[in-house]
Amino acid sequence: MNKRNYQKELDRIIEKNTRDGVTPRLLLHVCCAPCSSYCLEYLSDYFDITVYYFNPNITSPDEYAYRLSEEERYISLRDFKNPVSMTESDYDPQTFFDAVKGLEREPEGGRRCGRCFRLRLEASARKAKELGFDCFTTTLTISPLKNAALLNEIGEEMGAKYGVMWLPSDFKKKEGYKRSIVLSKEYDLYRQNYCGCVFSRKKEG
Ligand code: SF4
C-alpha cells in the first residue's frame, strides 16, 4: 500500500480553498509555542485560526502554565495575515493519568503516546464541533519524534466521530521543523527538553 503524503493532501486542500476564495475556520490544537511557531506562520495565510491549548499530559502545573504563557506571548508578537486567537481549556492532569493507566512504563513513542494523542485529538474534535469550526488539526505532527501517520489516523477517526473535518498534516515537511527552530530562536521561545508527562521527564533523568 502506498504511504500517504499528508503534506501533499494539505497542499491540495489549500489550493482548492484558494481557488474558491474561502478562508475556513480552523481549530488548531497546540502543544507548545515552538511547535506552533511555524504552523501558525504557515497556516494563518490560509485559515482563520483559533489555537486550542489542551494538554493535560503536562504533569507539572508550572510547566503547563509556562508553555501556555509562551504560546500567548508568541501570538501577541506576530502579525498574522488572518486572525489568530486562543480558546481556554480545563487543565486536569488526572484525565491523562486515567487515559494511560497501565502504560506508564511504555517507552516514549509507544502505546502510551497513542492514548495521549487520542485524548487530545478527541477533545479537539469535540471542541471544534461545539464551536462550529470548519476543520481541526494539531501541531504535534511537526515533531520528528511523533508518529505523524498515527496522529492523522486518530485525527480522521475523531473527525468522523464528531462530524468535523480533520485537516491532514505533516508539518515537519517543507522544512517545517527547521523553520520552527529558527523562529524559536528569533522570538526567544522556551524550548522544553522533555515531552510533557512525568514519564517522559524521568527518561531525561
Ligand atoms: S511522552 Fe509525550 S506524547 Fe507520550 S504520553 Fe508523555 S506527554 Fe504524551
Side-chain angles (χ1 to χ4, degrees), residues 115-132:
R115 292 254 189 98
C116 180
F117 298 161
R118 184 168 283 275
L119 174 69
R120 290 188 277 173
L121 293 184
E122 176 148 29
S124 304
R126 200 186 296 120
K127 181 62 79 179
K129 182 68 182 175
E130 182 191 316
L131 299 179

Side-chain angles (χ1 to χ4, degrees), residues 57-58 67 96 100 106-117 120 140 146 194-201:
N57 54 304
I58 303 173
R67 293 190 196 184
F96 168 76
V100 304
E106 283 276 308
E108 190 165 339
R111 288 184 302 151
R112 187 185 66 243
C113 299
R115 292 254 189 98
C116 180
F117 298 161
R120 290 188 277 173
L140 286 166
K146 307 254 177 329
Y194 71 105
C195 190
C197 67
V198 66
F199 315 114
S200 61
R201 185 159 209 178

Side-chain angles (χ1 to χ4, degrees), residues 4-7 38 170-177:
R4 284 172 66 180
N5 184 324
Y6 296 100
Q7 176 61 51
Y38 161 76
D170 194 353
F171 294 120
K172 72 181 87 46
K173 298 283 165 72
K174 287 190 167 176
E175 308 287 338
Y177 181 65

